[in-house]
Amino acid sequence: MVNPPDMEELVDLHQATLYRFALGLTGSVHHAADLTQQTFLLWATKGHQLRDGTKARSWLFTTLHREFLRMRRHEVRHPHTDLETAEMELPPEEPEVWSRLDGRTVVEALHAVEEPFRPPLLLFYLEELPYREIAEALEVPVGTIMSRISRGKTLLRQHLRDAMSEHGSDPKILRLPPNDALRRQDPMA
Amino acid sequence: MTLPGARLVVSAATTADLANPSQELAAALEFLKNHRDDWTAWQQEQQRDQAIARTFGTVGPPPGLRDQILAAQGAQHRPQARRRFLLAWAAGLALVAGAGIATRWMPGKSDALAALRDGSLAAAASHFLDREWDHVFDHTAGTLDDLRQFLEREGEPGALDPGDGFDRLSTLGCRRFSWKGQVAVLVCFRTAGDGTIVHVISVPRAAVGPEAREDLDLFREGRWHAASWTRGGRAYVALSSQPLDPGHWSRTRLPDGGVPTQRT
């Protein structure tokens, strides 16, 4: 059994990926920083209960996601979104376009993906966890996670394509949605 | 395995899965290889996913978040640390029956500021923050006023008056040390907006000597961006991992009427 790492080591290892996860969930730099900090604070008070240090990363992602859901519950009621059958739409690709994406565009597009698909999709693109651990971290069955990742990727691609067709094929000229639209999407705004 | 099933498994496979494929994933990959169009399409999807993940990976946390997390964590741990200390102290007394152990834990006995009594306040503060501080506060509070009240109760009135601009910043907490035989007070502020942590150390002006200047003086101290000034009977040094922009500091009127100068 591996002992859990100390706080400073844990922060150095995971703060960037946790922040990206939080940023994708909330779409807000400030909420993302708060959620990241809150997650580490919870680790400081409860992390010692974790006997196996190898589970620290999953614990952090689970906790951040729970905190996000807890905060959001106080703010907004979301309409239920039925899961659609996972599908794999594979229109012709334009690799040179995808390779010119910028960070802001990607974060905005990820944040625009609907709620049930967004958390697993974010963890997929963080490239830290296998899908079984993503399922564990989000406390969702593996089969559901696979469907959500697959469907989420399709939705993300649609969002990116819509943005590109709206503003031309150069992602650098993509613009943020109007502020009020962002606020509507931001469950904690 | 069916074609839709294989598509689903490979589409959900993360980089970590592909580096160490499960039996299910290996079977799905083998299955898909026999369906040329789907295999090509998945390879294209992989390229796109890699581009998105690479771009997503360039998004970093705001400056100062690490310091903020560690500072807040230290503040939260303070009560637990105090309880642990008391237990250890009581156990030590029972076992050793000596009072000497207790004095070892008295505040201010082993801190870096005391050890650097011949150095400048900024150098001592930098050394302390880099090597000695365990992010434990004597008192945690969100406003300067609350910290002032705590210090007054503890017999340190007037220890915190760095400038009106600071009253508008939130605080994390404070901690006291001895420096050149005087009480030094460290306060951690969080700036509005980007949340940068600014550590401010306050000592009696007499302890600083000729280096004390009334005007705001900006300089580098080790890895820190630093500023110093005096106000009333106290000298102050501020350290931050982020540049202390004179414009920003002026907007916060730090210190009142102070004109920043840049030390080269």
Side-chain angles (χ1 to χ4, degrees), chain B residues 31-237:
Chain B
F31 188 94
L32 215 60
K33 274 181 189 171
N34 296 323
H35 296 78
R36 193 171 173 172
D37 289 348
D38 289 281
W39 179 253
T40 305
W42 176 67
Q43 287 183 316
Q44 289 173 341
E45 182 180 332
Q46 249 203 315
Q47 285 180 1
R48 185 189 62 248
D49 288 340
Q50 285 167 1
I52 293 170
R54 198 166 46 242
T55 309
F56 192 31
T58 63
V59 178
L65 180 61
R66 179 185 182 277
D67 286 351
Q68 201 171 311
I69 291 167
L70 291 175
Q73 184 267 338
Q76 180 156 346
H77 258 196
R78 179 64 177 167
Q80 292 178 10
R82 183 167 284 162
R83 278 197 298 275
R84 280 199 300 273
F85 161 73
L86 288 172
L87 284 171
W89 186 73
L93 278 182
L95 288 170
V96 183
I101 285 180
T103 60
R104 185 170 162 247
W105 295 95
M106 292 296 282
K109 280 283 181 186
S110 59
D111 61 76
L113 295 185
L116 284 175
R117 65 183 72 251
D118 295 328
S120 74
L121 178 59
S126 165
H127 177 89
F128 172 72
L129 289 171
D130 284 341
R131 298 184 186 87
E132 305 290 336
W133 191 33
D134 54 5
H135 299 85
V136 175
F137 292 116
D138 288 341
H139 185 67
T140 58
T143 69
L144 193 54
D145 243 2
D146 290 341
L147 293 180
R148 282 196 189 106
Q149 287 171 23
F150 164 77
L151 289 168
E152 282 175 13
R153 287 197 302 272
E154 296 283 311
E156 304 292 342
L160 278 183
D161 187 19
D164 290 347
F166 280 105
D167 287 325
R168 289 192 289 274
L169 302 184
S170 61
T171 59
L172 297 172
C174 70
R175 184 163 158 181
R176 287 160 297 166
F177 306 92
S178 67
W179 187 66
K180 294 186 177 179
Q182 306 275 353
V183 174
V185 178
L186 163 70
V187 180
C188 296
F189 290 90
R190 184 190 298 172
T191 61
D194 63 0
T196 297
I197 301 294
V198 179
H199 309 278
V200 174
I201 291 96
S202 159
V203 295
R205 187 171 185 161
V208 179
E211 70 179 275
R213 296 171 53 162
E214 286 190 6
D215 291 344
L216 184 63
D217 186 18
L218 298 170
F219 54 99
R220 294 298 297 264
E221 183 65 53
R223 73 181 183 92
W224 298 94
H225 297 268
S228 66
W229 69 97
T230 62
R231 179 179 164 89
R234 308 283 298 184
Y236 298 89
V237 164

Side-chain angles (χ1 to χ4, degrees), chain A:
Chain A
M1 202 68 79
V2 179
N3 288 329
D6 70 22
M7 188 67 181
E8 197 161 346
E9 187 184 350
L10 205 70
V11 172
D12 287 340
L13 277 173
H14 299 303
Q15 65 142 345
T17 45
L18 283 173
Y19 171 78
R20 277 195 285 278
F21 183 41
L23 184 61
L25 288 173
T26 64
S28 154
V29 170
H30 298 299
H31 288 320
D34 286 348
L35 262 183
T36 306
Q37 180 166 330
Q38 177 64 13
T39 301
F40 282 112
L41 283 177
L42 287 169
W43 170 269
T45 54
K46 298 180 179 174
H48 64 277
Q49 296 168 5
L50 191 69
R51 299 294 175 91
D52 185 355
T54 61
K55 300 285 186 188
R57 183 176 56 180
S58 289
W59 189 97
L60 290 168
F61 282 119
T62 302
T63 302
L64 191 148
H65 186 237
R66 282 182 185 167
E67 279 302 294
F68 166 71
L69 295 176
R70 189 182 63 78
M71 291 166 78
R72 194 193 56 182
R73 270 197 295 272
H74 290 291
E75 300 294 332
V76 70
R77 287 175 181 273
H78 272 263
H80 178 70
T81 308
D82 287 325
L83 274 180
E84 297 177 31
T85 307
E87 54 187 328
M88 204 167 170
E89 297 165 5
L90 299 165
E93 297 292 337
E94 302 154 22
E96 71 286 354
V97 172
W98 300 112
S99 66
R100 298 202 320 264
L101 290 170
D102 62 78
R104 188 177 180 180
T105 305
V106 168
V107 169
E108 287 169 10
L110 282 165
H111 181 62
V113 171
E114 286 76 354
E115 167 59 23
F117 312 106
R118 198 189 322 149
L121 192 66
L122 290 165
L123 292 178
F124 175 88
Y125 283 116
L126 286 173
E127 295 190 310
E128 292 247 329
L129 306 176
Y131 58 67
R132 288 191 183 281
E133 282 188 41
I134 293 176
E136 194 179 312
L138 299 179
E139 302 168 299
V140 173
V142 174
T144 306
I145 281 295
M146 292 167 76
S147 300
R148 289 183 183 181
I149 289 173
S150 184
R151 176 66 180 153
K153 284 161 77 172
T154 304
L155 292 170
L156 174 68
R157 195 171 358 161
Q158 285 169 0
H159 287 301
L160 288 169
R161 283 184 183 282
D162 288 349
M164 287 176 196
S165 62
E166 195 174 322
H167 298 283
S169 61
D170 185 352
K172 288 178 182 172
I173 64 166
L174 290 177
R175 294 287 178 267
L176 279 165
N179 283 340
D180 58 342
L182 267 183
R183 275 196 290 275
R184 278 199 305 275
Q185 290 168 9
D186 186 352
M188 294 192 298

